[in-house]
Amino acid sequence: MTALKQRLLNYYEKNETKVDIAFFLGGFLFDVLTLSDVDDPLSIVQQIVYLGVIGLILFYDFLNTHGLARISSRVTKFWEYRNLAVHFLLGSLLSVYSLFFLKSSSIFSSIVFVGLMMGIMIANELKTVQKSAVDLKVGLYVICLFAFFSMTIPVLVGFVGITTFLASIALTAAVVYGAYRMLNKKVDNKKLLLRTLALPGFSVLGLFVILYFIGWIPPVPLTVQNMGIYHKIEKSEGKYLLSHENPSWKFWKNGDQDFVAEPGDKIYFFAQIYSPARFDDSVIVHWYYKDPRQGWISTDKVPMRISGGRKEGFRGFSMKQNYAAGEGRISVETTDGREIGRIYFNVIKTDQTSISRTFTTETM
């Protein structure tokens, strides 16, 4: 057993970067396969445990590295695996948060934020970065803290917006400041503490504030599960009947995204939006028209009240009867302007009324 352990340690020392990346990706894939709803109690408890374990390891690793704390004999035999544990747990948490952020926004508005997270994850595995003065693990940990608060606070209070965002920033800052105060009592080198904890921690929070006001932080926990353009929508016995002309072979189209408009036709937009239980808030259905000269122009903003508790998601629709031929776009947005989903469509107007129109009706 001892010989096997030594061989594994020797292999790790020779292939440290590869093994770290493997454990990081292992944590990532583990939670991809076991992803639960954002308001699942067991998932929230799991995240709290992961965050607590990572925080303790980083805290005592800093003290131990600078000769300010001794690891007990009981812990020593496990302590040599601390980096693998941190990599696995960070990968696991970041996978959950990346997926929730991706689900809670259109690709157009979330790609920069999620791409940034992925870039930091990859950068953390580079030897040149690991040897730098600033500890990226602290930055990654602060990202996870903020992501945790930004998901659980809206679940608890039942709405999203600038209030929940600022609360997430404040709680994350409080944790970072608390850790700084605790270490400040033990560390004489204040510049080192500022460089390895305060600088990466508060830099991440500053970046989040900038990204929020640009509109690039997705509004977790809301998720558009389905949306489409239709010629007619009716509600019967708790079901929505969605009528469209889209042929079955155009399976990539969501209803009549190629909308042939005859006299008297109205454009209907349908959305199915997931929100946690006890959630009660509004979203904005934002209609745009692409003017040949001015580009995208906002034409209408229609509020839609949503409430949680339904596994399949809240369902609702919006209708427009005054429209022009050409390209259109609908963005589903939070009340503070963050985009949850987006769909494009094209209106082809005709002056003739067809007798042989055939509609397909879907039930939602």
Side-chain angles (χ1 to χ4, degrees), residues 279-321:
F279 200 89
D280 187 15
D281 201 359
S282 294
V283 295
I284 304 298
V285 179
H286 197 166
W287 295 75
Y288 292 88
Y289 166 71
K290 190 172 185 181
D291 186 271
R293 294 184 178 181
Q294 302 180 56
W296 290 107
I297 299 174
S298 174
T299 59
D300 291 285
K301 290 185 177 181
V302 182
M304 180 188 295
R305 195 76 185 175
I306 61 172
S307 57
R310 188 175 185 273
K311 188 69 175 179
E312 296 81 8
F314 174 86
R315 299 160 299 166
F317 67 92
S318 176
M319 180 270 293
K320 189 172 179 65
Q321 57 184 356

Side-chain angles (χ1 to χ4, degrees), residues 4 7 42 67 73 159 162 165 173-175 200 217 220 223 231 246 248 254 264 271 282 293 308 313 316 328 341:
L4 176 61
R7 286 199 299 270
L42 290 178
S73 57
F159 63 89
I162 191 170
F165 169 77
V175 173
I217 293 185
V220 175
T223 304
H231 269 80
N246 187 50
S248 58
N254 293 328
S282 294
R293 294 184 178 181

